[in-house]
């Protein structure tokens, strides 16, 4: 009577990989949703720009935003920059619809330190000392980290 060896390593690796991929999608989706909830809602553009992607081959997940304002919301600007490396003294922002201009509807929602009007009395420039960091992504990650770790243990521990 001989002993028969059955190699299930390929099947085991696939089951672990599938469980890991499922967790990545769940975790990235949770972080994306929380970052969106944490974002400021002046226009909703920044909140709506958060996305996630899972690379199943490398078993990596990415969450982020390609919206220019997202980095300013996360780390702040000017005198409020998170690492203290922002511009001091303030600056003027032109009101308009072009690049590096603030839309009129958005400009009207805030109390500015100073404003300049054009010859017709319309808002033309606003003065700011910067934007305080909201840390929407960082807060999403840190608030969910423990829950996501427990969920990974749950998913991987339930493999049979």
């Amino acid at each position: 009577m001989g002993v028969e060896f059955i190699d299930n390593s390929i099947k085991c690796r696939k089951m672990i990989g599938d469980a890991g991929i499922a967790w990545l999608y769940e975790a990235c989706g949770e972080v994306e949703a929380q970052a969106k909830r944490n974002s400021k809602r002046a226009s909703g553009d920044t909140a709506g720009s958060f996305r996630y992607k899972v690379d199943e081959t490398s078993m990596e997940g990415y969450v982020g935003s390609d919206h220019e304002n997202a980095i300013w919301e996360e780390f702040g600007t000017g005198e409020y920059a998170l690492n203290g490396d922002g511009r001091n003294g303030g600056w003027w922002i032109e009101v308009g619809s072009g690049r590096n201009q603030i839309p009129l509807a958005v400009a009207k929602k805030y109390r500015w330190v100073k404003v300049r009007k054009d010859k017709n009395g319309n808002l033309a420039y606003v003065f700011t000392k910067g934007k305080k960091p909201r840390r929407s992504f960082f807060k999403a990650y840190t608030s969910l980290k423990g829950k996501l770790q427990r969920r990974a243990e749950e998913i991987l521990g339930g493999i049979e």
Side-chain angles (χ1 to χ4, degrees):
M1 175 156 157
V3 175
E4 183 180 348
F5 176 75
I6 300 172
D7 183 359
N8 289 316
S9 63
I10 293 173
K11 184 179 177 183
C12 289
R13 281 190 201 126
K14 177 158 178 21
M15 289 175 70
I16 291 169
D18 289 348
I21 289 167
W23 176 80
L24 279 171
Y25 278 102
E26 186 175 326
C28 289
E30 287 286 331
V31 173
E32 175 196 319
Q34 185 64 48
K36 286 179 176 181
R37 286 190 295 272
N38 292 348
S39 291
K40 196 171 183 177
R41 299 292 178 161
S43 69
D45 291 346
T46 302
S49 70
F50 280 98
R51 301 277 184 271
Y52 75 89
K53 179 180 180 181
V54 172
D55 183 339
E56 295 181 8
T57 304
S58 66
M59 297 288 290
E60 295 176 335
Y62 306 91
V63 182
S65 169
D66 60 356
H67 194 274
E68 186 176 24
N69 188 55
I71 195 87
W72 302 334
E73 290 283 328
E74 190 67 28
F75 295 105
T77 63
E79 295 179 7
Y80 306 109
L82 188 64
N83 297 321
D85 55 359
R87 183 186 334 183
N88 289 315
W91 62 96
W92 290 95
I93 305 172
E94 187 174 5
V95 176
S97 58
R99 182 155 168 74
N100 297 325
Q101 293 179 332
I102 186 169
L104 180 61
V106 175
K108 287 182 175 182
K109 291 182 179 183
Y110 299 98
R111 275 194 237 137
W112 299 96
V113 176
K114 301 175 195 172
V115 296
R116 288 186 191 160
K117 296 187 176 188
D118 63 18
K119 62 184 175 186
N120 298 323
N122 299 315
L123 191 58
Y125 291 89
V126 293
F127 185 82
T128 185
K129 291 187 176 190
K131 179 184 280 196
K132 293 180 181 176
R134 295 189 56 83
R135 307 301 318 262
S136 57
F137 178 78
F138 177 78
K139 289 176 183 176
Y141 171 75
T142 55
S143 70
L144 292 169
K145 184 178 177 182
K147 175 185 173 185
L148 296 176
Q149 286 174 334
R150 288 188 297 280
R151 182 66 179 137
E153 291 167 2
E154 194 178 286
I155 289 173
L156 293 171
I159 296 174
E160 294 183 23

